[in-house]
Amino acid sequence: MSDEGKLFIGGLSFETNEDSLAAAFGKYGTIEKVDVIRDKETGRSRGFGFVKYDNVEDAKDALDAMNGKTLDGRAIRVDEAGKGGRFNSGGSYGDRSYGDRSYGDRSFGGGDRSFGGGGYRSGGYSSGGYRDNR
């Protein structure tokens, strides 16, 4: 597992916060950090987040157990944070870096966004909705 036990969690309900994400994933091991990524202007969840475990094996257990499960009424997608060009703490999404930068200085396109199937859709990367707010 790459990135030392860090998981990407996609498809989150806008109601899911750090506490509810930690509660759902905490039964698989000791969590070091939980982040729900929020829009800089509205403070609303962007529908994805990260859970970092102290132990890589705990992260693997959580990935296997939680991928495709329902959390706060939505089926979530769980993946390794650094796998295959997806979001991660030091890599990229496609050719755009989102490593140690603030998520607030960049924005994904509008519309309801969801992970799965064709990837980031409805105003996201696949339809050219990326914009750089710098």
Side-chain angles (χ1 to χ4, degrees):
M1 174 170 274
S2 60
D3 203 11
E4 310 295 321
K6 189 171 186 180
L7 298 176
F8 165 84
I9 318 298
L12 293 176
S13 164
F14 293 125
E15 308 308 312
T16 301
N17 60 32
E18 284 81 358
D19 291 338
S20 59
L21 194 57
F25 281 81
K27 58 187 161 187
Y28 301 100
T30 303
I31 294 175
E32 184 178 312
K33 187 172 183 181
V34 176
D35 289 308
V36 172
I37 306 307
R38 301 189 180 283
D39 182 87
K40 177 178 150 182
E41 295 175 15
T42 67
R44 182 177 171 183
S45 168
R46 290 191 177 192
F48 67 96
F50 299 94
V51 175
K52 183 168 179 23
Y53 285 89
D54 287 343
N55 182 309
V56 173
E57 293 302 317
D58 293 342
K60 288 179 184 177
D61 291 344
L63 187 153
D64 292 340
M66 293 296 290
N67 190 32
K69 298 292 186 208
T70 300
L71 178 62
D72 295 332
R74 301 259 333 242
I76 60 171
R77 186 178 128 234
V78 182
D79 206 344
E80 296 175 35
K83 183 179 178 188
R86 292 181 179 97
F87 288 99
N88 62 59
S89 66
S92 65
Y93 187 87
D95 63 345
R96 309 264 187 209
S97 174
Y98 289 87
D100 296 321
R101 295 180 166 208
S102 164
Y103 285 91
D105 68 348
R106 299 199 182 249
S107 175
F108 289 100
D112 284 338
R113 293 166 290 217
S114 62
F115 284 88
Y120 215 89
R121 295 174 284 170
S122 297
Y125 275 88
S126 64
S127 62
Y130 174 83
R131 76 177 187 266
D132 191 340
N133 290 331
R134 289 190 285 165

Coordinates of all heavy atoms in Angstrom, one line a residue, residues 28-110:
Y28 N -11.4 -0.2 12.4 CA -10.4 -1.0 11.7 C -9.0 -0.7 12.2 O -8.1 -1.4 11.8 CB -10.5 -0.8 10.2 CG -11.9 -1.2 9.7 CD1 -12.8 -0.2 9.4 CD2 -12.2 -2.5 9.6 CE1 -14.1 -0.6 9.0 CE2 -13.5 -2.9 9.2 CZ -14.4 -1.9 8.9 OH -15.7 -2.3 8.5
G29 N -8.8 0.3 13.1 CA -7.5 0.5 13.7 C -7.4 2.0 14.1 O -8.4 2.8 14.1
T30 N -6.2 2.3 14.6 CA -6.0 3.7 15.1 C -5.8 4.6 14.0 O -4.9 4.4 13.1 CB -4.7 3.7 16.0 OG1 -4.9 2.7 17.1 CG2 -4.5 5.1 16.6
I31 N -6.6 5.7 14.0 CA -6.6 6.7 12.9 C -5.7 7.8 13.3 O -5.8 8.4 14.4 CB -8.0 7.2 12.6 CG1 -8.8 6.1 12.0 CG2 -7.9 8.4 11.6 CD1 -10.2 6.4 11.7
E32 N -4.8 8.2 12.5 CA -3.9 9.3 12.7 C -4.5 10.7 12.3 O -4.4 11.6 13.0 CB -2.6 9.1 11.9 CG -1.5 10.1 12.1 CD -0.3 9.8 11.3 OE1 0.2 8.7 11.3 OE2 0.2 10.7 10.6
K33 N -5.2 10.7 11.2 CA -5.8 11.9 10.7 C -7.0 11.6 9.8 O -7.0 10.7 9.0 CB -4.8 12.7 10.0 CG -5.2 14.1 9.6 CD -4.1 14.9 9.0 CE -4.6 16.3 8.7 NZ -3.6 17.2 8.1
V34 N -8.0 12.5 9.9 CA -9.2 12.4 9.0 C -9.4 13.8 8.4 O -9.4 14.8 9.1 CB -10.5 12.0 9.8 CG1 -11.7 12.0 8.9 CG2 -10.3 10.6 10.4
D35 N -9.6 13.8 7.1 CA -9.9 15.1 6.4 C -11.1 14.9 5.5 O -11.1 14.0 4.7 CB -8.7 15.6 5.6 CG -7.6 16.1 6.4 OD1 -7.8 16.9 7.3 OD2 -6.5 15.6 6.2
V36 N -12.1 15.8 5.6 CA -13.2 15.9 4.6 C -12.8 17.2 3.9 O -12.7 18.3 4.5 CB -14.6 16.0 5.2 CG1 -15.6 16.3 4.2 CG2 -14.9 14.6 5.9
I37 N -12.6 17.1 2.6 CA -12.2 18.3 1.8 C -13.4 19.2 1.5 O -14.5 18.7 1.1 CB -11.5 17.8 0.5 CG1 -10.4 16.9 0.8 CG2 -11.0 19.0 -0.3 CD1 -9.4 17.4 1.8
R38 N -13.2 20.4 1.8 CA -14.3 21.4 1.7 C -14.0 22.5 0.7 O -12.9 22.9 0.5 CB -14.6 22.0 3.1 CG -14.9 21.0 4.1 CD -15.4 21.6 5.4 NE -15.7 20.5 6.4 CZ -16.8 19.8 6.4 NH1 -17.7 20.0 5.5 NH2 -17.0 18.8 7.2
D39 N -15.1 23.1 0.2 CA -15.0 24.2 -0.7 C -14.6 25.4 0.1 O -15.1 25.7 1.1 CB -16.4 24.5 -1.4 CG -16.3 25.6 -2.4 OD1 -16.0 25.4 -3.5 OD2 -16.6 26.8 -1.9
K40 N -13.6 26.1 -0.5 CA -13.0 27.3 0.2 C -14.1 28.4 0.5 O -14.1 29.0 1.6 CB -11.9 27.9 -0.6 CG -11.2 29.1 -0.1 CD -10.1 29.5 -1.1 CE -9.9 31.0 -1.1 NZ -8.9 31.4 -2.0
E41 N -14.9 28.6 -0.5 CA -15.9 29.7 -0.3 C -17.1 29.4 0.5 O -17.6 30.1 1.3 CB -16.3 30.2 -1.7 CG -15.1 30.8 -2.5 CD -15.5 31.2 -3.9 OE1 -16.7 31.2 -4.3 OE2 -14.5 31.4 -4.7
T42 N -17.7 28.2 0.2 CA -18.9 27.8 0.9 C -18.8 27.0 2.1 O -19.7 26.9 3.0 CB -19.8 27.0 -0.1 OG1 -19.2 25.7 -0.3 CG2 -20.1 27.8 -1.4
G43 N -17.6 26.3 2.3 CA -17.4 25.4 3.4 C -18.1 24.1 3.3 O -18.0 23.2 4.1
R44 N -18.8 23.9 2.2 CA -19.5 22.7 1.9 C -18.5 21.6 1.5 O -17.6 21.8 0.8 CB -20.5 22.9 0.8 CG -21.4 21.7 0.5 CD -22.4 22.1 -0.5 NE -23.1 20.9 -1.0 CZ -24.0 20.9 -1.9 NH1 -24.4 22.0 -2.5 NH2 -24.6 19.8 -2.2
S45 N -18.8 20.3 1.9 CA -18.0 19.2 1.5 C -17.9 19.1 0.0 O -18.9 19.3 -0.7 CB -18.5 17.9 2.1 OG -17.9 16.8 1.5
R46 N -16.8 18.7 -0.5 CA -16.6 18.4 -2.0 C -17.0 17.0 -2.3 O -16.9 16.6 -3.4 CB -15.2 18.8 -2.4 CG -15.0 20.3 -2.4 CD -13.7 20.5 -3.1 NE -13.5 22.0 -3.2 CZ -12.6 22.5 -3.9 NH1 -11.8 21.8 -4.7 NH2 -12.4 23.8 -3.9
G47 N -17.3 16.2 -1.3 CA -17.7 14.8 -1.5 C -16.6 13.8 -1.5 O -16.8 12.7 -1.9
F48 N -15.4 14.2 -1.0 CA -14.4 13.3 -0.8 C -13.5 13.7 0.4 O -13.6 14.8 0.9 CB -13.5 13.1 -2.1 CG -12.7 14.3 -2.5 CD1 -11.4 14.4 -2.1 CD2 -13.3 15.4 -3.2 CE1 -10.6 15.5 -2.5 CE2 -12.5 16.5 -3.6 CZ -11.2 16.6 -3.2
G49 N -12.7 12.7 0.8 CA -11.8 13.0 2.0 C -10.8 11.9 2.1 O -10.6 11.1 1.2
F50 N -10.0 12.0 3.2 CA -8.9 11.1 3.4 C -8.9 10.6 4.8 O -9.3 11.3 5.7 CB -7.6 11.8 3.1 CG -7.4 12.3 1.7 CD1 -7.8 13.6 1.4 CD2 -6.9 11.4 0.7 CE1 -7.7 14.0 0.1 CE2 -6.8 11.9 -0.6 CZ -7.2 13.2 -0.9
V51 N -8.5 9.3 5.0 CA -8.3 8.8 6.3 C -6.9 8.2 6.3 O -6.6 7.4 5.5 CB -9.4 7.6 6.6 CG1 -9.1 7.0 8.0 CG2 -10.8 8.2 6.6
K52 N -6.1 8.6 7.3 CA -4.8 8.1 7.5 C -4.7 7.3 8.7 O -5.0 7.7 9.8 CB -3.8 9.2 7.5 CG -2.3 8.7 7.5 CD -1.3 9.8 7.2 CE 0.1 9.5 7.3 NZ 0.6 8.2 7.1
Y53 N -4.2 6.0 8.6 CA -4.1 5.1 9.7 C -2.6 5.1 10.2 O -1.7 5.3 9.4 CB -4.4 3.7 9.3 CG -5.9 3.5 9.2 CD1 -6.6 3.7 8.0 CD2 -6.7 3.0 10.3 CE1 -8.0 3.5 7.9 CE2 -8.0 2.8 10.2 CZ -8.7 3.1 9.0 OH -10.0 2.9 9.0
D54 N -2.4 4.8 11.5 CA -1.1 4.6 12.0 C -0.4 3.4 11.4 O 0.8 3.4 11.3 CB -1.1 4.5 13.5 CG -1.5 5.8 14.3 OD1 -1.3 6.8 13.6 OD2 -1.9 5.7 15.4
N55 N -1.2 2.4 11.1 CA -0.7 1.1 10.7 C -1.2 0.8 9.2 O -2.4 0.8 9.0 CB -1.2 0.0 11.6 CG -0.7 -1.4 11.3 OD1 -0.8 -1.8 10.2 ND2 -0.1 -2.0 12.3
V56 N -0.3 0.4 8.3 CA -0.7 0.2 6.9 C -1.7 -1.0 6.9 O -2.6 -1.0 6.0 CB 0.6 -0.1 6.1 CG1 0.2 -0.5 4.7 CG2 1.4 1.2 6.0
E57 N -1.5 -2.0 7.7 CA -2.3 -3.2 7.6 C -3.8 -2.8 8.0 O -4.7 -3.4 7.5 CB -1.8 -4.3 8.6 CG -0.5 -4.9 8.1 CD -0.6 -5.5 6.7 OE1 -1.6 -6.2 6.4 OE2 0.3 -5.2 5.9
D58 N -3.9 -1.9 9.0 CA -5.3 -1.4 9.3 C -5.9 -0.7 8.2 O -7.1 -0.9 7.9 CB -5.2 -0.5 10.5 CG -4.8 -1.2 11.8 OD1 -4.8 -2.4 11.9 OD2 -4.3 -0.5 12.7
A59 N -5.2 0.0 7.4 CA -5.7 0.7 6.2 C -6.2 -0.3 5.2 O -7.2 -0.1 4.6 CB -4.6 1.6 5.6
K60 N -5.4 -1.4 5.0 CA -5.8 -2.4 4.0 C -7.1 -3.1 4.5 O -8.0 -3.3 3.7 CB -4.7 -3.5 3.9 CG -3.5 -3.0 3.2 CD -2.4 -4.1 3.1 CE -1.2 -3.6 2.5 NZ -0.1 -4.6 2.5
D61 N -7.2 -3.3 5.8 CA -8.5 -3.9 6.3 C -9.6 -3.0 6.1 O -10.7 -3.5 5.7 CB -8.3 -4.2 7.8 CG -7.3 -5.4 8.1 OD1 -7.0 -6.1 7.2 OD2 -6.9 -5.5 9.3
A62 N -9.5 -1.7 6.3 CA -10.5 -0.8 6.1 C -10.9 -0.7 4.7 O -12.1 -0.6 4.3 CB -10.1 0.6 6.7
L63 N -9.9 -0.6 3.8 CA -10.2 -0.6 2.4 C -11.1 -1.7 1.9 O -12.1 -1.6 1.3 CB -8.9 -0.5 1.6 CG -9.0 -0.3 0.1 CD1 -7.7 0.4 -0.4 CD2 -9.3 -1.5 -0.7
D64 N -10.7 -3.0 2.3 CA -11.4 -4.2 1.9 C -12.8 -4.2 2.5 O -13.8 -4.6 1.8 CB -10.7 -5.4 2.4 CG -9.3 -5.6 1.7 OD1 -9.2 -5.1 0.6 OD2 -8.5 -6.4 2.2
A65 N -13.0 -3.7 3.7 CA -14.3 -3.8 4.4 C -15.2 -2.6 4.0 O -16.4 -2.9 3.9 CB -14.1 -3.7 5.9
M66 N -14.7 -1.5 3.7 CA -15.6 -0.3 3.5 C -15.8 0.1 2.0 O -16.8 0.8 1.7 CB -15.0 0.9 4.2 CG -15.0 0.8 5.7 SD -16.6 0.7 6.4 CE -17.2 2.4 6.1
N67 N -15.0 -0.4 1.1 CA -15.2 0.0 -0.3 C -16.6 -0.5 -0.8 O -16.9 -1.7 -0.7 CB -14.1 -0.6 -1.2 CG -14.2 0.0 -2.6 OD1 -14.5 1.1 -2.8 ND2 -13.8 -0.8 -3.5
G68 N -17.4 0.4 -1.3 CA -18.7 0.1 -1.7 C -19.8 0.1 -0.7 O -21.0 -0.1 -1.0
K69 N -19.5 0.3 0.6 CA -20.4 0.3 1.7 C -21.2 1.6 1.7 O -20.7 2.6 1.0 CB -19.8 0.1 3.0 CG -19.1 -1.2 3.2 CD -20.1 -2.3 3.2 CE -19.3 -3.7 3.5 NZ -20.0 -4.8 3.0
T70 N -22.3 1.7 2.4 CA -23.1 2.9 2.5 C -22.7 3.7 3.7 O -22.6 3.1 4.8 CB -24.6 2.6 2.5 OG1 -24.9 1.9 1.3 CG2 -25.4 3.8 2.6
L71 N -22.5 5.0 3.6 CA -22.2 5.8 4.7 C -23.0 7.1 4.6 O -23.0 7.7 3.5 CB -20.7 6.2 4.8 CG -20.2 7.1 5.8 CD1 -20.5 6.5 7.2 CD2 -18.7 7.5 5.7
D72 N -23.8 7.4 5.6 CA -24.7 8.5 5.5 C -25.6 8.6 4.3 O -25.8 9.6 3.7 CB -23.9 9.8 5.7 CG -23.2 10.0 7.0 OD1 -23.7 9.4 8.0 OD2 -22.2 10.7 7.1
G73 N -26.0 7.4 3.9 CA -27.0 7.3 2.8 C -26.3 7.2 1.4 O -27.0 7.2 0.4
R74 N -25.0 7.2 1.3 CA -24.3 7.2 0.0 C -23.3 6.0 -0.1 O -22.6 5.7 0.9 CB -23.5 8.5 -0.2 CG -24.3 9.7 -0.2 CD -24.7 10.3 -1.6 NE -23.8 10.1 -2.7 CZ -23.1 11.0 -3.3 NH1 -23.2 12.3 -2.9 NH2 -22.4 10.7 -4.4
A75 N -23.3 5.4 -1.2 CA -22.3 4.3 -1.4 C -20.9 5.0 -1.6 O -20.8 5.9 -2.4 CB -22.6 3.5 -2.7
I76 N -19.9 4.6 -0.8 CA -18.6 5.3 -0.9 C -17.6 4.4 -1.7 O -17.8 3.2 -1.8 CB -18.1 5.6 0.5 CG1 -17.9 4.3 1.3 CG2 -19.0 6.6 1.2 CD1 -17.2 4.6 2.6
R77 N -16.6 5.1 -2.2 CA -15.5 4.4 -2.8 C -14.2 4.6 -2.0 O -13.9 5.7 -1.7 CB -15.3 4.9 -4.3 CG -14.3 4.1 -5.0 CD -14.1 4.7 -6.4 NE -12.7 4.9 -6.6 CZ -12.1 6.1 -7.0 NH1 -12.9 7.1 -7.2 NH2 -10.9 6.2 -7.1
V78 N -13.6 3.5 -1.7 CA -12.4 3.6 -0.9 C -11.2 3.1 -1.7 O -11.3 2.0 -2.4 CB -12.5 2.8 0.4 CG1 -11.2 2.9 1.3 CG2 -13.7 3.2 1.2
D79 N -10.1 3.8 -1.8 CA -9.0 3.4 -2.5 C -7.7 3.9 -1.8 O -7.8 4.8 -0.9 CB -9.0 4.0 -3.9 CG -8.3 3.2 -5.0 OD1 -7.4 2.3 -4.6 OD2 -8.5 3.4 -6.2
E80 N -6.6 3.3 -2.2 CA -5.3 3.8 -1.7 C -5.1 5.3 -2.2 O -5.4 5.6 -3.3 CB -4.1 3.0 -2.2 CG -4.2 1.6 -1.8 CD -3.1 0.8 -2.4 OE1 -2.0 1.3 -2.6 OE2 -3.3 -0.4 -2.7
A81 N -4.7 6.1 -1.3 CA -4.6 7.6 -1.7 C -3.6 7.8 -2.8 O -3.7 8.8 -3.5 CB -4.2 8.4 -0.4
G82 N -2.5 7.0 -2.9 CA -1.5 7.3 -3.9 C -1.5 6.4 -5.1 O -0.6 6.3 -5.9
K83 N -2.6 5.6 -5.3 CA -2.7 4.6 -6.3 C -3.0 5.2 -7.7 O -4.0 5.9 -7.9 CB -3.7 3.6 -6.0 CG -3.8 2.4 -6.9 CD -4.8 1.4 -6.5 CE -4.9 0.3 -7.5 NZ -6.0 -0.6 -7.2
G84 N -2.2 4.9 -8.7 CA -2.5 5.2 -10.1 C -2.9 6.6 -10.5 O -3.8 6.7 -11.3
G85 N -2.2 7.6 -9.9 CA -2.5 8.9 -10.4 C -3.8 9.5 -9.8 O -4.2 10.6 -10.1
R86 N -4.4 8.9 -8.8 CA -5.5 9.5 -8.1 C -5.0 10.5 -7.1 O -3.8 10.6 -6.9 CB -6.4 8.4 -7.4 CG -7.0 7.5 -8.4 CD -7.9 6.4 -7.7 NE -8.5 5.6 -8.6 CZ -8.1 4.4 -9.0 NH1 -7.0 3.9 -8.5 NH2 -8.8 3.7 -9.8
F87 N -5.9 11.1 -6.4 CA -5.5 12.0 -5.4 C -4.6 11.4 -4.4 O -4.8 10.3 -4.0 CB -6.7 12.6 -4.6 CG -7.5 13.5 -5.4 CD1 -8.7 13.0 -6.0 CD2 -7.2 14.8 -5.5 CE1 -9.5 13.9 -6.7 CE2 -8.0 15.7 -6.2 CZ -9.1 15.2 -6.8
N88 N -3.6 12.1 -4.0 CA -2.7 11.6 -2.9 C -2.0 12.8 -2.3 O -2.1 13.9 -2.7 CB -1.7 10.5 -3.5 CG -0.8 11.1 -4.5 OD1 -0.1 12.1 -4.3 ND2 -0.8 10.5 -5.7
S89 N -1.2 12.5 -1.3 CA -0.6 13.6 -0.5 C 0.6 14.1 -1.2 O 1.2 15.1 -0.7 CB -0.3 13.1 0.9 OG 0.7 12.1 0.8
G90 N 1.2 13.5 -2.2 CA 2.4 14.0 -2.8 C 2.4 13.8 -4.3 O 3.4 14.0 -4.9
G91 N 1.3 13.4 -4.9 CA 1.4 13.1 -6.3 C 0.4 14.0 -7.1 O 0.3 15.2 -6.9
S92 N -0.4 13.4 -8.0 CA -1.2 14.2 -8.9 C -2.5 13.5 -9.2 O -2.7 12.3 -9.0 CB -0.4 14.4 -10.1 OG -0.2 13.2 -10.8
Y93 N -3.4 14.3 -9.7 CA -4.6 13.8 -10.4 C -4.4 14.2 -11.8 O -4.4 15.3 -12.2 CB -5.8 14.5 -9.8 CG -7.1 13.9 -10.3 CD1 -7.7 12.8 -9.7 CD2 -7.7 14.3 -11.5 CE1 -8.8 12.2 -10.2 CE2 -8.8 13.8 -11.9 CZ -9.4 12.7 -11.3 OH -10.6 12.2 -11.8
G94 N -4.1 13.2 -12.6 CA -3.7 13.5 -14.0 C -2.4 14.2 -14.0 O -1.4 13.7 -13.3
D95 N -2.3 15.3 -14.6 CA -1.0 16.0 -14.6 C -1.0 17.2 -13.7 O -0.2 18.1 -13.7 CB -0.6 16.5 -16.0 CG -1.6 17.4 -16.6 OD1 -2.7 17.5 -16.1 OD2 -1.3 18.0 -17.6
R96 N -2.0 17.4 -12.8 CA -2.1 18.5 -11.9 C -1.7 18.0 -10.5 O -2.3 17.1 -10.0 CB -3.6 19.0 -11.9 CG -4.2 19.3 -13.2 CD -4.0 20.7 -13.5 NE -4.7 21.0 -14.7 CZ -4.4 21.9 -15.6 NH1 -3.4 22.7 -15.3 NH2 -5.1 22.2 -16.7
S97 N -0.9 18.8 -9.9 CA -0.4 18.4 -8.5 C -1.4 18.9 -7.5 O -1.9 20.0 -7.5 CB 1.0 19.0 -8.3 OG 1.3 18.7 -7.0
Y98 N -1.7 18.0 -6.5 CA -2.6 18.3 -5.4 C -1.9 17.9 -4.1 O -2.5 17.7 -3.1 CB -3.9 17.7 -5.5 CG -4.7 18.3 -6.6 CD1 -4.6 17.9 -7.9 CD2 -5.5 19.4 -6.3 CE1 -5.3 18.5 -8.9 CE2 -6.2 20.1 -7.3 CZ -6.1 19.6 -8.6 OH -6.8 20.3 -9.5
G99 N -0.6 17.7 -4.2 CA 0.2 17.2 -3.1 C 0.0 18.0 -1.8 O -1.0 18.0 -1.2
D100 N 1.0 18.6 -1.4 CA 1.0 19.3 -0.1 C 0.4 20.7 -0.2 O 0.6 21.6 0.6 CB 2.4 19.4 0.5 CG 2.9 18.0 0.8 OD1 2.1 17.2 1.2 OD2 4.1 17.8 0.5
R101 N -0.3 21.0 -1.3 CA -1.0 22.3 -1.4 C -2.3 22.3 -0.7 O -2.9 21.3 -0.5 CB -1.2 22.5 -2.9 CG 0.0 22.6 -3.7 CD -0.3 22.8 -5.1 NE 0.9 23.3 -5.8 CZ 0.9 24.0 -6.9 NH1 -0.2 24.5 -7.4 NH2 2.0 24.4 -7.4
S102 N -2.8 23.5 -0.5 CA -4.1 23.7 0.0 C -5.2 23.4 -1.1 O -5.0 23.8 -2.2 CB -4.3 25.1 0.5 OG -5.6 25.4 0.6
Y103 N -6.2 22.7 -0.7 CA -7.3 22.4 -1.7 C -8.1 23.7 -2.0 O -8.8 23.7 -3.0 CB -8.2 21.3 -1.1 CG -7.6 20.0 -1.2 CD1 -6.9 19.5 -0.2 CD2 -7.7 19.2 -2.4 CE1 -6.3 18.2 -0.2 CE2 -7.1 18.0 -2.5 CZ -6.4 17.5 -1.4 OH -5.8 16.3 -1.5
G104 N -8.0 24.7 -1.1 CA -8.8 25.9 -1.3 C -8.3 26.7 -2.4 O -9.1 27.6 -2.9
D105 N -7.1 26.5 -3.0 CA -6.7 27.4 -4.0 C -7.0 26.9 -5.4 O -6.7 27.4 -6.4 CB -5.2 27.8 -3.9 CG -4.3 26.7 -4.2 OD1 -4.8 25.5 -4.3 OD2 -3.1 26.9 -4.3
R106 N -7.7 25.8 -5.5 CA -8.1 25.2 -6.7 C -9.5 24.7 -6.6 O -10.0 24.5 -5.6 CB -7.2 24.0 -7.1 CG -5.8 24.4 -7.2 CD -5.0 23.4 -7.9 NE -3.6 23.8 -8.0 CZ -3.0 24.1 -9.1 NH1 -3.6 24.2 -10.2 NH2 -1.7 24.4 -9.1
S107 N -10.2 24.6 -7.8 CA -11.6 24.3 -7.7 C -11.9 23.3 -8.9 O -11.4 23.4 -10.0 CB -12.4 25.5 -7.9 OG -13.8 25.2 -8.0
F108 N -12.8 22.4 -8.6 CA -13.3 21.5 -9.6 C -14.6 22.1 -10.2 O -15.2 22.9 -9.5 CB -13.6 20.1 -9.0 CG -12.4 19.3 -8.7 CD1 -12.0 19.3 -7.4 CD2 -11.6 18.7 -9.7 CE1 -10.8 18.6 -7.0 CE2 -10.5 18.1 -9.3 CZ -10.1 18.0 -8.0
G109 N -15.0 21.7 -11.3 CA -16.1 22.2 -12.0 C -17.4 22.0 -11.2 O -17.4 21.2 -10.3
G110 N -18.4 22.7 -11.5 CA -19.7 22.6 -10.8 C -20.5 21.4 -11.1 O -20.1 20.5 -11.8

